[in-house]
Structures are given as C-alpha cells and as structure tokens.
Amino acid sequence: MSLERMPQGRRMETRIEDETCPDCKGKGTTGDSPNNVRMCRRCGGKGKIRKPG
C-alpha cells in the first residue's frame, strides 16, 4: 500500500532484526585483558548491529 493510500493515523509495522556484533561477539566491549577494555566501535557498546538488507 502506498503512503498516499494509507488512511490517516494508521501505523505500519516493520520488523527490523538485529544480529550479534561480529567484532565484540555480543559483549559490547573489546580488549584482550581487563586493563585493556574498550567500548566496541562497531556496535557502540550495544552488542548488536542492524541486520543488512
């Protein structure tokens, strides 16, 4: 249905799926030791990224 034909006030649901961040493996942090822990740059510390497509 086009936006022009959609009734006013009606909501359209979309499903956006996230996947586990491959860089931090879902932890939200990267680093090889407790003294070298940094927030994952790819996911911003969330541990999930938007699934492409």
Side-chain angles (χ1 to χ4, degrees), residues 19-40:
E19 62 183 23
T20 302
C21 177
D23 290 358
C24 68
K25 297 176 183 47
K27 295 185 295 181
T29 57
T30 58
D32 54 1
S33 70
N35 296 329
N36 187 24
V37 175
R38 295 193 174 110
M39 182 174 64
C40 178

